[in-house]
Amino acid sequence: MARYLLTRAWQSALTLLLSTIVVFFGVRALPGDPALALAGEDRSPEALEAIRRHYGLDQPLPVQFAQYVERMVQGDFGVSIRTGTPVSSMLTTALPVTVELSVLAILLATALGVGAGVLAAVRRGRPAEWVANGMALIGLSVPHFWLGLLAILYLSVATGLFPASGFVPILEDPVDNLHHIVLPAVILGTGLAAIIMRQTRSAMLDSLSSDYVRTAKAKGLRPRAVITQHALRNSLIVVVTVVGLQLGGLISGAVVTEQIFGLPGFGKMTIDAVFQRDYPVIQAVVLLTATAYIVINFLVDLLYSVIDPRIRVTGDPA
Amino acid sequence: MTVLTVPMAETGAASITRRTRVLRRLRRNPLAVVSFVVLALAAAIALLSPWIAPYSVDQTDFARTFAPPGTPGHLLGTDDLGRDVLSRIMLGARASLQVGLLAVATSLVIGVPLGLAAGYFRAWDAVISRFTDLLLAFPFLIMAVGLAAIRGASLGNAAVAIGIAQIPGVIRVVRSDTLRLKSLDFVAAAVVDGASDLWVLARHILPNATSVILVQATVAIPAAILGEAVLSFLGLGIQPPSPSLGTMLATAQQFAARAPWAAVLPGVVIMGLALAFNVFGDALRDALDPKGDRR
Amino acid sequence: MTTAERAGAAATVATPVLAVRDLSVSFPTETGNVSAVDGVSLDLAPGEIVGMVGESGCGKSVTAMSIAGLLPGSARISGSVRLNGTELVGTREAALRRVRGKEIAYIFQEPMTSLNPVLTVGRQIGEVLQVHERMSRRAARARAVELLTLVGIPSAAKRVDNYPHQLSGGMRQRVMIAMAVACGPKVLVADEPTTALDVTVQAGILQVLRDLRDRLGTSILVITHDLGVIADIADRVVVMYAGRVVERAAVTDLFAHPYHRYTAGLLSASPTPGRHAGTDRLQEIPGLVPVLSVQPDVCTFADRCPAADGRCRESAPPLEVVAAGSTDHLAACWHPCPSPRSDVEEAHR
């Protein structure tokens, strides 16, 4: 157990370090002088010189990298070129929106995806399976930003049931907040649900045809007990993996949905930054996305050891 | 030598009967047939679109902007600049398929050798695994954004960004199949017989891994098509005035109040293409499954 | 009890616990129908151990699984399986569930994969008791400890909280047995119970099964391809070939005088005590068990049989009493082996 967690922790840390290096050099590969980028409004030669000294841009690269990591760890992502506000404060307003949207979408998707996946596996060869499979294939093939577009055109604009765009912070008005975010969350959740459903179904088919499920049936267990106690419990690893992967990708995956529904989240901030060549913001966004992904995956690994006793006890995933 | 030739002969014969069995299964599956026909039609239209499209994609007609579908002369109507929607959809679909194929080619060219190496050489496994972790940590949008920022937005760059994002999936699939094949007797026999690693990989493992690579490619193409649509919609992919289904949707969003129908068709085409690939990919995977009874 | 005494004792018992009559099973597949079992009949008397033997693919396992209705829904089953007179074929699932694990219990070949890897063994044993005996989880766990002790697992109180992967192969199979006998079933079906185990462990598992029969009076159907296991544990033997019963006899009779050519072939293909390694060589039966879409009205062993002639390929031999002396010895062969085995081996050479 300890060895497994240590290995995973070490691998995560290594990936994190590599990502930081990639971002560091990536930003330096971007066209334009970073000092110019960091300067914001004041672009006088003296100011640029001061910035170079302040950010150590006159130092050799390894030193620069060390200083860069130090600043990142302290939460100093620099200042937005366009707005002049510190990137960290932009993040504190944008992140809650994205996190709320992502969490809501993943909850919806998990409930729908796992439910439909189990149903499709259990009702194999019956109409229920065809319906679930068909829905999943469509969910997998539909561009969800288009679905969002149609939802706005034919649900929000036409009926006025949902606001077409905008956001109200949850602390200001929880009901209005939900009203604004539920449609984007549903739209975002559909594509995820399709992926989760297909993985759940295939894992369930595997465990349903396994020897231990045969044993469970031979013991005289009810189908419901066979499915939940035996088949589903063994499929949980797959479910947790796919849900974790989705969640890890959502921080950036929500970009388009946020863009369409005009939600002032992380994604919108990313797109705006790209079009405005706001390098400090892009850098912070990329680094945060990668970190979120790596951290979530580490948490998933931790969860494995809770679900699977083989990992818990011996440290080797079987 | 006998050790080597006997199993090789067997696998050769087995692969021929296997191929006919797979084809027979595909022919018997109505979903496979329908999706294949749809894809063949789409490919034909895409190939011929520069010649069969009723109008040039750039031909504007400011007297007739936002013509609704069914307008004489413009079967699917016109857009904000009076360009023919049908022609733009045909060429947009062509661009979608181009990106899909280019992206998947990129991911295969890089992913297959890495997957083979990771599965075959223990020492490489850890290094390649970190590489895939790293790629996965930068989801495709971020990658595309970065590439667009560095090299500018274009069809090619969008395809490469999507392709790079799909590398981890290819590596994972090829690696696990290589691990499986490596443990089989005929590979062990070749190794015992003194065949070089490269020979074993090229002659024994890669040919047998073709089916999983094929399935992976079939499901990666629709993902790439959707990716292109997203990028172009955001303005990070194919640049106007080049036709793209994604940019058509972006325009439709802009003029939603005047022409709400414009948002429907390009989306349907994207979905239809992706659906056809996904359905065919599913059918192919089932047909290749030696257990055979899993749909 | 010697084997002979056991056989004698079994033969005197009249009413069988389990009576299988004319059981046939087939499966529709992609390439057409596959007939797996064709007209199998057998009885299991109280406290009797019957061995079912044959090569892989001969329909042993399908027969075993069909007894408690465990085959997939696609299987086409006809015939009759009666447990203490109650018909099981065609019975509702809900009624079959009350039989499974309580009246008829199973032990499978692979104890590693047959146990759920994410549940403790105590939980898996307790589950049967919770379902059939309505025990509380706590009571079921306590009983699980007793059951583990019964099947010879040392420090059962500790082992009860172990997961399958923490146990050795032999211990896992003991857990399977504990699980199977938890509700004191009348019939235990053991499908290749020792095949996946080391030879040294095998003997221990067979001893546990024998003990259970002696102590609890459980009837056991042992399915195996290993004649050594049969010789070790069974009272009577049923030999199967290509879905049919080809010979049925008390174990001593069968080993002393196999009538069916296939049985004779099986015996010469496995080492038995009392044969001289130097002079008697192990014989292989040429060919493979055929996969049949329809059971033809011929002897399906004819193509592999040294004594086959035109008659064997024209009509199927019925399962009949072969010798006036022993009414319990039946074989389905037009040309049974005339006398003790040395002649058979002569024929093979």
Side-chain angles (χ1 to χ4, degrees), chain A residues 19 30 124-125 129 140-141 146 149 153 198 201 206 252 256 274-275 277 286 290 293, chain B residues 134 136-139 145 149-150 226 234 253 256 263-264 267 275 278 282 293-295:
Chain A
S19 324
L30 292 172
R124 185 130 178 256
E129 192 208 1
L140 207 63
S141 310
W146 174 62
L149 211 59
L153 285 179
R198 286 164 66 92
R201 168 178 168 270
D206 277 345
S252 72
V256 206
V274 170
F275 281 109
R277 312 260 161 210
V286 173
Y293 183 88
Chain B
L134 193 61
L136 283 169
F138 299 104
V145 162
I150 298 170
L226 292 183
L234 294 173
Q253 185 192 25
V264 177
L275 192 59
N278 278 325
D282 268 17
D293 58 343
R294 175 173 300 180
R295 267 190 333 275

mmCIF file of all heavy atoms in Angstrom, chain A residues 19 30 124-125 129 140-141 146 149 153 198 201 206 252 256 274-275 277 286 290 293, chain B residues 134 136-139 145 149-150 226 234 253 256 263-264 267 275 278 282 293-295:
data_model
loop_
_atom_site.group_PDB
_atom_site.id
_atom_site.type_symbol
_atom_site.label_atom_id
_atom_site.label_comp_id
_atom_site.label_asym_id
_atom_site.label_seq_id
_atom_site.Cartn_x
_atom_site.Cartn_y
_atom_site.Cartn_z
ATOM 1 N N SER A 19 5.564 19.084 -16.622
ATOM 2 C CA SER A 19 4.596 20.045 -17.169
ATOM 3 C C SER A 19 5.092 21.464 -16.959
ATOM 4 O O SER A 19 4.978 22.310 -17.853
ATOM 5 C CB SER A 19 3.238 19.910 -16.492
ATOM 6 O OG SER A 19 2.957 18.594 -16.189
ATOM 7 N N LEU A 30 6.899 31.223 -27.383
ATOM 8 C CA LEU A 30 5.860 32.057 -27.992
ATOM 9 C C LEU A 30 6.484 33.309 -28.576
ATOM 10 O O LEU A 30 7.469 33.829 -28.053
ATOM 11 C CB LEU A 30 4.828 32.459 -26.932
ATOM 12 C CG LEU A 30 3.967 31.333 -26.373
ATOM 13 C CD1 LEU A 30 3.134 31.836 -25.211
ATOM 14 C CD2 LEU A 30 3.083 30.765 -27.461
ATOM 15 N N ARG A 124 -28.950 -7.144 -21.708
ATOM 16 C CA ARG A 124 -28.240 -7.440 -22.937
ATOM 17 C C ARG A 124 -29.158 -8.109 -23.947
ATOM 18 O O ARG A 124 -29.865 -9.049 -23.627
ATOM 19 C CB ARG A 124 -27.083 -8.368 -22.585
ATOM 20 C CG ARG A 124 -26.224 -8.634 -23.721
ATOM 21 C CD ARG A 124 -24.789 -8.403 -23.383
ATOM 22 N NE ARG A 124 -24.035 -8.745 -24.559
ATOM 23 C CZ ARG A 124 -23.360 -9.868 -24.653
ATOM 24 N NH1 ARG A 124 -23.284 -10.673 -23.648
ATOM 25 N NH2 ARG A 124 -22.739 -10.161 -25.765
ATOM 26 N N GLY A 125 -29.118 -7.577 -25.200
ATOM 27 C CA GLY A 125 -29.894 -8.183 -26.250
ATOM 28 C C GLY A 125 -31.367 -7.826 -26.212
ATOM 29 O O GLY A 125 -32.160 -8.366 -26.962
ATOM 30 N N GLU A 129 -31.228 -2.280 -24.070
ATOM 31 C CA GLU A 129 -29.820 -2.151 -24.410
ATOM 32 C C GLU A 129 -29.649 -1.352 -25.704
ATOM 33 O O GLU A 129 -28.761 -0.509 -25.800
ATOM 34 C CB GLU A 129 -29.177 -3.527 -24.579
ATOM 35 C CG GLU A 129 -27.661 -3.424 -24.637
ATOM 36 C CD GLU A 129 -26.993 -4.511 -25.435
ATOM 37 O OE1 GLU A 129 -27.692 -5.369 -25.993
ATOM 38 O OE2 GLU A 129 -25.764 -4.499 -25.515
ATOM 39 N N LEU A 140 -22.033 10.522 -28.044
ATOM 40 C CA LEU A 140 -20.611 10.534 -28.355
ATOM 41 C C LEU A 140 -20.340 11.304 -29.653
ATOM 42 O O LEU A 140 -19.253 11.830 -29.856
ATOM 43 C CB LEU A 140 -20.153 9.079 -28.531
ATOM 44 C CG LEU A 140 -18.711 8.723 -28.258
ATOM 45 C CD1 LEU A 140 -18.395 8.990 -26.810
ATOM 46 C CD2 LEU A 140 -18.482 7.264 -28.591
ATOM 47 N N SER A 141 -21.335 11.342 -30.526
ATOM 48 C CA SER A 141 -21.119 11.908 -31.855
ATOM 49 C C SER A 141 -21.611 13.341 -31.989
ATOM 50 O O SER A 141 -21.253 14.022 -32.929
ATOM 51 C CB SER A 141 -21.834 11.048 -32.908
ATOM 52 O OG SER A 141 -21.497 9.697 -32.746
ATOM 53 N N TRP A 146 -22.827 22.590 -30.241
ATOM 54 C CA TRP A 146 -23.965 22.752 -31.147
ATOM 55 C C TRP A 146 -25.277 22.501 -30.400
ATOM 56 O O TRP A 146 -26.248 23.233 -30.552
ATOM 57 C CB TRP A 146 -23.814 21.784 -32.319
ATOM 58 C CG TRP A 146 -24.973 21.736 -33.265
ATOM 59 C CD1 TRP A 146 -25.437 22.768 -34.028
ATOM 60 C CD2 TRP A 146 -25.808 20.615 -33.553
ATOM 61 N NE1 TRP A 146 -26.509 22.348 -34.777
ATOM 62 C CE2 TRP A 146 -26.752 21.028 -34.497
ATOM 63 C CE3 TRP A 146 -25.832 19.294 -33.081
ATOM 64 C CZ2 TRP A 146 -27.729 20.167 -35.004
ATOM 65 C CZ3 TRP A 146 -26.784 18.439 -33.580
ATOM 66 C CH2 TRP A 146 -27.727 18.876 -34.538
ATOM 67 N N LEU A 149 -25.977 25.454 -28.515
ATOM 68 C CA LEU A 149 -26.476 26.499 -29.411
ATOM 69 C C LEU A 149 -27.973 26.298 -29.674
ATOM 70 O O LEU A 149 -28.775 27.233 -29.575
ATOM 71 C CB LEU A 149 -25.708 26.384 -30.735
ATOM 72 C CG LEU A 149 -25.467 27.651 -31.525
ATOM 73 C CD1 LEU A 149 -24.683 28.630 -30.687
ATOM 74 C CD2 LEU A 149 -24.687 27.304 -32.790
ATOM 75 N N LEU A 153 -31.161 28.630 -28.669
ATOM 76 C CA LEU A 153 -32.083 29.133 -29.681
ATOM 77 C C LEU A 153 -33.508 28.676 -29.431
ATOM 78 O O LEU A 153 -34.449 29.453 -29.522
ATOM 79 C CB LEU A 153 -31.636 28.658 -31.074
ATOM 80 C CG LEU A 153 -30.428 29.367 -31.645
ATOM 81 C CD1 LEU A 153 -30.087 28.795 -33.014
ATOM 82 C CD2 LEU A 153 -30.694 30.856 -31.761
ATOM 83 N N ARG A 198 -20.469 3.964 -21.861
ATOM 84 C CA ARG A 198 -19.843 2.903 -22.650
ATOM 85 C C ARG A 198 -18.794 2.142 -21.844
ATOM 86 O O ARG A 198 -18.683 0.928 -21.949
ATOM 87 C CB ARG A 198 -19.238 3.494 -23.926
ATOM 88 C CG ARG A 198 -20.316 3.848 -24.937
ATOM 89 C CD ARG A 198 -19.802 4.752 -26.011
ATOM 90 N NE ARG A 198 -18.798 4.123 -26.854
ATOM 91 C CZ ARG A 198 -19.089 3.474 -27.977
ATOM 92 N NH1 ARG A 198 -20.329 3.370 -28.363
ATOM 93 N NH2 ARG A 198 -18.140 2.951 -28.695
ATOM 94 N N ARG A 201 -20.621 -0.008 -19.262
ATOM 95 C CA ARG A 201 -21.249 -1.163 -19.890
ATOM 96 C C ARG A 201 -20.221 -2.250 -20.178
ATOM 97 O O ARG A 201 -20.439 -3.424 -19.874
ATOM 98 C CB ARG A 201 -21.932 -0.733 -21.183
ATOM 99 C CG ARG A 201 -22.375 -1.876 -22.047
ATOM 100 C CD ARG A 201 -23.098 -1.399 -23.286
ATOM 101 N NE ARG A 201 -23.272 -2.474 -24.237
ATOM 102 C CZ ARG A 201 -22.386 -2.775 -25.188
ATOM 103 N NH1 ARG A 201 -21.271 -2.081 -25.278
ATOM 104 N NH2 ARG A 201 -22.596 -3.759 -26.004
ATOM 105 N N ASP A 206 -17.895 -7.521 -18.761
ATOM 106 C CA ASP A 206 -16.767 -8.352 -18.339
ATOM 107 C C ASP A 206 -17.062 -9.026 -17.015
ATOM 108 O O ASP A 206 -16.887 -10.226 -16.857
ATOM 109 C CB ASP A 206 -15.493 -7.500 -18.211
ATOM 110 C CG ASP A 206 -14.821 -7.310 -19.556
ATOM 111 O OD1 ASP A 206 -15.170 -8.041 -20.495
ATOM 112 O OD2 ASP A 206 -13.956 -6.426 -19.656
ATOM 113 N N SER A 252 -10.572 22.318 -18.718
ATOM 114 C CA SER A 252 -10.445 22.953 -20.032
ATOM 115 C C SER A 252 -11.570 22.537 -20.964
ATOM 116 O O SER A 252 -11.914 23.252 -21.894
ATOM 117 C CB SER A 252 -9.103 22.590 -20.653
ATOM 118 O OG SER A 252 -9.130 21.243 -21.058
ATOM 119 N N VAL A 256 -15.742 25.546 -24.260
ATOM 120 C CA VAL A 256 -16.709 25.886 -25.291
ATOM 121 C C VAL A 256 -18.077 26.164 -24.685
ATOM 122 O O VAL A 256 -18.767 27.102 -25.087
ATOM 123 C CB VAL A 256 -16.846 24.739 -26.318
ATOM 124 C CG1 VAL A 256 -17.299 25.300 -27.627
ATOM 125 C CG2 VAL A 256 -15.553 23.997 -26.455
ATOM 126 N N VAL A 274 -6.174 33.944 -25.254
ATOM 127 C CA VAL A 274 -5.520 33.500 -26.477
ATOM 128 C C VAL A 274 -5.673 34.556 -27.567
ATOM 129 O O VAL A 274 -4.715 34.914 -28.250
ATOM 130 C CB VAL A 274 -6.101 32.160 -26.952
ATOM 131 C CG1 VAL A 274 -5.599 31.834 -28.347
ATOM 132 C CG2 VAL A 274 -5.726 31.061 -25.989
ATOM 133 N N PHE A 275 -6.892 35.065 -27.689
ATOM 134 C CA PHE A 275 -7.103 36.040 -28.752
ATOM 135 C C PHE A 275 -6.388 37.353 -28.484
ATOM 136 O O PHE A 275 -6.011 38.059 -29.400
ATOM 137 C CB PHE A 275 -8.600 36.261 -28.968
ATOM 138 C CG PHE A 275 -9.203 35.160 -29.770
ATOM 139 C CD1 PHE A 275 -10.061 34.240 -29.183
ATOM 140 C CD2 PHE A 275 -8.863 34.994 -31.101
ATOM 141 C CE1 PHE A 275 -10.580 33.204 -29.919
ATOM 142 C CE2 PHE A 275 -9.388 33.956 -31.842
ATOM 143 C CZ PHE A 275 -10.246 33.049 -31.253
ATOM 144 N N ARG A 277 -3.556 37.497 -26.906
ATOM 145 C CA ARG A 277 -2.136 37.168 -26.659
ATOM 146 C C ARG A 277 -1.736 37.583 -25.259
ATOM 147 O O ARG A 277 -0.705 38.210 -25.060
ATOM 148 C CB ARG A 277 -1.222 37.862 -27.670
ATOM 149 C CG ARG A 277 -1.653 37.727 -29.101
ATOM 150 C CD ARG A 277 -0.881 36.653 -29.810
ATOM 151 N NE ARG A 277 -1.659 36.277 -30.995
ATOM 152 C CZ ARG A 277 -1.647 35.085 -31.539
ATOM 153 N NH1 ARG A 277 -0.912 34.146 -31.036
ATOM 154 N NH2 ARG A 277 -2.368 34.801 -32.586
ATOM 155 N N VAL A 286 -2.672 27.231 -18.486
ATOM 156 C CA VAL A 286 -2.103 25.936 -18.886
ATOM 157 C C VAL A 286 -1.563 25.193 -17.670
ATOM 158 O O VAL A 286 -1.828 24.003 -17.466
ATOM 159 C CB VAL A 286 -0.994 26.144 -19.936
ATOM 160 C CG1 VAL A 286 -0.290 24.835 -20.218
ATOM 161 C CG2 VAL A 286 -1.574 26.717 -21.200
ATOM 162 N N ALA A 290 -3.039 21.607 -16.148
ATOM 163 C CA ALA A 290 -2.198 20.420 -16.007
ATOM 164 C C ALA A 290 -2.161 19.968 -14.556
ATOM 165 O O ALA A 290 -2.288 18.786 -14.249
ATOM 166 C CB ALA A 290 -0.795 20.716 -16.518
ATOM 167 N N TYR A 293 -5.349 18.299 -13.531
ATOM 168 C CA TYR A 293 -5.430 16.966 -14.113
ATOM 169 C C TYR A 293 -4.584 15.968 -13.317
ATOM 170 O O TYR A 293 -5.032 14.877 -12.976
ATOM 171 C CB TYR A 293 -4.958 17.021 -15.568
ATOM 172 C CG TYR A 293 -5.084 15.700 -16.263
ATOM 173 C CD1 TYR A 293 -6.263 15.347 -16.892
ATOM 174 C CD2 TYR A 293 -4.021 14.802 -16.266
ATOM 175 C CE1 TYR A 293 -6.396 14.122 -17.508
ATOM 176 C CE2 TYR A 293 -4.147 13.578 -16.881
ATOM 177 C CZ TYR A 293 -5.333 13.247 -17.508
ATOM 178 O OH TYR A 293 -5.453 12.035 -18.107
ATOM 179 N N LEU B 134 2.162 13.257 -19.449
ATOM 180 C CA LEU B 134 2.391 14.667 -19.743
ATOM 181 C C LEU B 134 1.416 15.143 -20.827
ATOM 182 O O LEU B 134 0.785 16.194 -20.704
ATOM 183 C CB LEU B 134 3.831 14.843 -20.208
ATOM 184 C CG LEU B 134 4.345 16.273 -20.269
ATOM 185 C CD1 LEU B 134 4.309 16.897 -18.901
ATOM 186 C CD2 LEU B 134 5.768 16.293 -20.817
ATOM 187 N N LEU B 136 -1.412 13.842 -21.595
ATOM 188 C CA LEU B 136 -2.775 13.829 -21.077
ATOM 189 C C LEU B 136 -3.039 15.030 -20.183
ATOM 190 O O LEU B 136 -4.156 15.502 -20.067
ATOM 191 C CB LEU B 136 -3.028 12.534 -20.300
ATOM 192 C CG LEU B 136 -3.279 11.297 -21.149
ATOM 193 C CD1 LEU B 136 -3.243 10.049 -20.288
ATOM 194 C CD2 LEU B 136 -4.617 11.405 -21.859
ATOM 195 N N ALA B 137 -1.978 15.527 -19.542
ATOM 196 C CA ALA B 137 -2.151 16.651 -18.625
ATOM 197 C C ALA B 137 -2.485 17.939 -19.378
ATOM 198 O O ALA B 137 -3.034 18.864 -18.797
ATOM 199 C CB ALA B 137 -0.907 16.843 -17.787
ATOM 200 N N PHE B 138 -2.139 17.980 -20.677
ATOM 201 C CA PHE B 138 -2.506 19.147 -21.466
ATOM 202 C C PHE B 138 -3.605 18.754 -22.454
ATOM 203 O O PHE B 138 -3.315 18.322 -23.559
ATOM 204 C CB PHE B 138 -1.303 19.685 -22.258
ATOM 205 C CG PHE B 138 -0.177 20.112 -21.386
ATOM 206 C CD1 PHE B 138 0.951 19.328 -21.246
ATOM 207 C CD2 PHE B 138 -0.246 21.310 -20.696
ATOM 208 C CE1 PHE B 138 1.992 19.729 -20.437
ATOM 209 C CE2 PHE B 138 0.794 21.719 -19.886
ATOM 210 C CZ PHE B 138 1.914 20.928 -19.753
ATOM 211 N N PRO B 139 -4.856 18.867 -22.035
ATOM 212 C CA PRO B 139 -5.933 18.424 -22.925
ATOM 213 C C PRO B 139 -5.873 19.152 -24.265
ATOM 214 O O PRO B 139 -5.261 20.207 -24.375
ATOM 215 C CB PRO B 139 -7.196 18.793 -22.157
ATOM 216 C CG PRO B 139 -6.770 18.876 -20.746
ATOM 217 C CD PRO B 139 -5.367 19.350 -20.763
ATOM 218 N N VAL B 145 -4.649 25.442 -28.510
ATOM 219 C CA VAL B 145 -4.517 26.861 -28.200
ATOM 220 C C VAL B 145 -3.046 27.269 -28.278
ATOM 221 O O VAL B 145 -2.692 28.262 -28.909
ATOM 222 C CB VAL B 145 -5.094 27.145 -26.794
ATOM 223 C CG1 VAL B 145 -4.580 28.469 -26.262
ATOM 224 C CG2 VAL B 145 -6.606 27.140 -26.842
ATOM 225 N N ALA B 149 -1.389 29.684 -30.947
ATOM 226 C CA ALA B 149 -0.696 30.885 -30.497
ATOM 227 C C ALA B 149 0.700 30.965 -31.110
ATOM 228 O O ALA B 149 1.175 32.031 -31.478
ATOM 229 C CB ALA B 149 -0.615 30.899 -28.979
ATOM 230 N N ILE B 150 1.373 29.808 -31.220
ATOM 231 C CA ILE B 150 2.744 29.810 -31.727
ATOM 232 C C ILE B 150 2.778 29.876 -33.249
ATOM 233 O O ILE B 150 3.476 30.668 -33.841
ATOM 234 C CB ILE B 150 3.508 28.555 -31.252
ATOM 235 C CG1 ILE B 150 3.609 28.550 -29.730
ATOM 236 C CG2 ILE B 150 4.897 28.505 -31.861
ATOM 237 C CD1 ILE B 150 4.129 27.256 -29.162
ATOM 238 N N LEU B 226 -15.031 16.170 -34.360
ATOM 239 C CA LEU B 226 -15.661 17.024 -33.345
ATOM 240 C C LEU B 226 -14.658 18.068 -32.852
ATOM 241 O O LEU B 226 -15.013 19.231 -32.629
ATOM 242 C CB LEU B 226 -16.162 16.183 -32.165
ATOM 243 C CG LEU B 226 -17.331 15.236 -32.433
ATOM 244 C CD1 LEU B 226 -17.760 14.532 -31.157
ATOM 245 C CD2 LEU B 226 -18.508 16.000 -33.017
ATOM 246 N N LEU B 234 -14.456 28.191 -32.265
ATOM 247 C CA LEU B 234 -13.817 29.175 -31.393
ATOM 248 C C LEU B 234 -12.910 30.123 -32.173
ATOM 249 O O LEU B 234 -12.373 31.070 -31.618
ATOM 250 C CB LEU B 234 -12.992 28.473 -30.317
ATOM 251 C CG LEU B 234 -13.785 27.655 -29.297
ATOM 252 C CD1 LEU B 234 -12.840 26.883 -28.389
ATOM 253 C CD2 LEU B 234 -14.693 28.548 -28.475
ATOM 254 N N GLN B 253 -24.451 31.390 -34.839
ATOM 255 C CA GLN B 253 -24.693 31.907 -33.490
ATOM 256 C C GLN B 253 -24.778 33.435 -33.529
ATOM 257 O O GLN B 253 -25.641 34.035 -32.905
ATOM 258 C CB GLN B 253 -23.563 31.467 -32.553
ATOM 259 C CG GLN B 253 -23.825 31.872 -31.103
ATOM 260 C CD GLN B 253 -22.606 31.705 -30.224
ATOM 261 O OE1 GLN B 253 -21.489 31.729 -30.707
ATOM 262 N NE2 GLN B 253 -22.835 31.526 -28.947
ATOM 263 N N ALA B 256 -28.112 34.482 -35.035
ATOM 264 C CA ALA B 256 -29.186 33.583 -34.607
ATOM 265 C C ALA B 256 -30.551 34.251 -34.693
ATOM 266 O O ALA B 256 -31.552 33.612 -35.009
ATOM 267 C CB ALA B 256 -28.923 33.092 -33.191
ATOM 268 N N ALA B 263 -28.230 27.290 -37.833
ATOM 269 C CA ALA B 263 -27.474 26.547 -36.822
ATOM 270 C C ALA B 263 -27.751 25.050 -36.889
ATOM 271 O O ALA B 263 -27.046 24.253 -36.292
ATOM 272 C CB ALA B 263 -27.811 27.069 -35.426
ATOM 273 N N VAL B 264 -28.789 24.664 -37.626
ATOM 274 C CA VAL B 264 -29.210 23.263 -37.577
ATOM 275 C C VAL B 264 -28.353 22.372 -38.478
ATOM 276 O O VAL B 264 -27.739 21.404 -38.020
ATOM 277 C CB VAL B 264 -30.705 23.130 -37.960
ATOM 278 C CG1 VAL B 264 -31.106 21.666 -37.973
ATOM 279 C CG2 VAL B 264 -31.562 23.908 -36.968
ATOM 280 N N GLY B 267 -24.526 21.369 -37.930
ATOM 281 C CA GLY B 267 -24.440 20.481 -36.764
ATOM 282 C C GLY B 267 -24.883 19.077 -37.099
ATOM 283 O O GLY B 267 -24.253 18.093 -36.699
ATOM 284 N N LEU B 275 -21.225 10.088 -36.162
ATOM 285 C CA LEU B 275 -22.041 8.922 -35.817
ATOM 286 C C LEU B 275 -21.710 7.743 -36.725
ATOM 287 O O LEU B 275 -21.563 6.608 -36.261
ATOM 288 C CB LEU B 275 -23.526 9.296 -35.922
ATOM 289 C CG LEU B 275 -24.527 8.307 -35.326
ATOM 290 C CD1 LEU B 275 -24.255 8.112 -33.850
ATOM 291 C CD2 LEU B 275 -25.956 8.790 -35.526
ATOM 292 N N ASN B 278 -18.460 6.296 -35.621
ATOM 293 C CA ASN B 278 -18.583 5.606 -34.337
ATOM 294 C C ASN B 278 -19.330 4.288 -34.465
ATOM 295 O O ASN B 278 -18.942 3.278 -33.868
ATOM 296 C CB ASN B 278 -19.282 6.504 -33.308
ATOM 297 C CG ASN B 278 -18.315 7.483 -32.676
ATOM 298 O OD1 ASN B 278 -17.148 7.164 -32.460
ATOM 299 N ND2 ASN B 278 -18.789 8.676 -32.380
ATOM 300 N N ASP B 282 -17.699 0.616 -33.811
ATOM 301 C CA ASP B 282 -18.288 -0.374 -32.898
ATOM 302 C C ASP B 282 -18.468 -1.714 -33.586
ATOM 303 O O ASP B 282 -18.121 -2.770 -33.042
ATOM 304 C CB ASP B 282 -19.657 0.127 -32.415
ATOM 305 C CG ASP B 282 -19.539 0.910 -31.126
ATOM 306 O OD1 ASP B 282 -18.398 1.328 -30.814
ATOM 307 O OD2 ASP B 282 -20.551 1.105 -30.444
ATOM 308 N N ASP B 293 -19.477 -12.811 -29.597
ATOM 309 C CA ASP B 293 -20.899 -12.636 -29.309
ATOM 310 C C ASP B 293 -21.194 -11.306 -28.638
ATOM 311 O O ASP B 293 -22.312 -11.029 -28.261
ATOM 312 C CB ASP B 293 -21.416 -13.778 -28.430
ATOM 313 C CG ASP B 293 -20.654 -13.877 -27.130
ATOM 314 O OD1 ASP B 293 -19.555 -13.300 -27.069
ATOM 315 O OD2 ASP B 293 -21.143 -14.527 -26.199
ATOM 316 N N ARG B 294 -20.151 -10.485 -28.458
ATOM 317 C CA ARG B 294 -20.421 -9.207 -27.802
ATOM 318 C C ARG B 294 -20.716 -8.127 -28.828
ATOM 319 O O ARG B 294 -19.914 -7.845 -29.693
ATOM 320 C CB ARG B 294 -19.210 -8.786 -26.961
ATOM 321 C CG ARG B 294 -19.431 -7.403 -26.366
ATOM 322 C CD ARG B 294 -18.355 -7.046 -25.421
ATOM 323 N NE ARG B 294 -18.305 -7.996 -24.328
ATOM 324 C CZ ARG B 294 -17.418 -7.889 -23.349
ATOM 325 N NH1 ARG B 294 -16.550 -6.926 -23.351
ATOM 326 N NH2 ARG B 294 -17.426 -8.754 -22.388
ATOM 327 N N ARG B 295 -21.861 -7.552 -28.712
ATOM 328 C CA ARG B 295 -22.190 -6.489 -29.639
ATOM 329 C C ARG B 295 -21.604 -5.194 -29.172
ATOM 330 O O ARG B 295 -21.572 -4.916 -28.002
ATOM 331 C CB ARG B 295 -23.681 -6.340 -29.754
ATOM 332 C CG ARG B 295 -24.255 -7.139 -30.891
ATOM 333 C CD ARG B 295 -25.691 -6.749 -31.085
ATOM 334 N NE ARG B 295 -26.282 -6.278 -29.854
ATOM 335 C CZ ARG B 295 -26.799 -7.071 -28.943
ATOM 336 N NH1 ARG B 295 -26.769 -8.346 -29.127
ATOM 337 N NH2 ARG B 295 -27.328 -6.596 -27.850
#
